[in-house]
Amino acid sequence: MVVNDEEQYSIWNSLRPVPGGWRAEGTRGSKEACLEHIDRVWTDMRPRSVRDTEGGDH
């Protein structure tokens, strides 16, 4: 999986180079396991910059 500076997540094949603007998040596994992890950790879909501007969690 990869994550960007806006704390947005995406599944990504670990055999491919990480695209610009993203970094390896560290979670590996099946597509289903990665999507379950994303569901657990990405609870606020707003980009980080929007959350910071609006203040606090939703």
Side-chain angles (χ1 to χ4, degrees):
M1 289 184 12
V2 293
V3 63
N4 65 20
D5 289 340
E6 290 287 345
E7 296 180 353
Q8 298 168 310
Y9 290 80
S10 182
I11 57 174
W12 190 257
N13 185 324
S14 63
L15 300 177
R16 299 188 67 194
V18 175
W22 296 81
R23 63 186 179 281
E25 186 266 354
T27 301
R28 289 184 166 193
S30 67
K31 178 179 179 179
E32 293 77 20
C34 289
L35 291 174
E36 287 174 9
H37 177 74
I38 289 172
D39 283 341
R40 281 192 308 276
V41 300
W42 195 11
T43 58
D44 189 339
M45 301 300 282
R46 296 174 300 166
R48 180 181 177 184
S49 59
V50 172
R51 291 191 321 263
D52 290 349
T53 301
E54 293 177 356
D57 293 328
H58 59 261

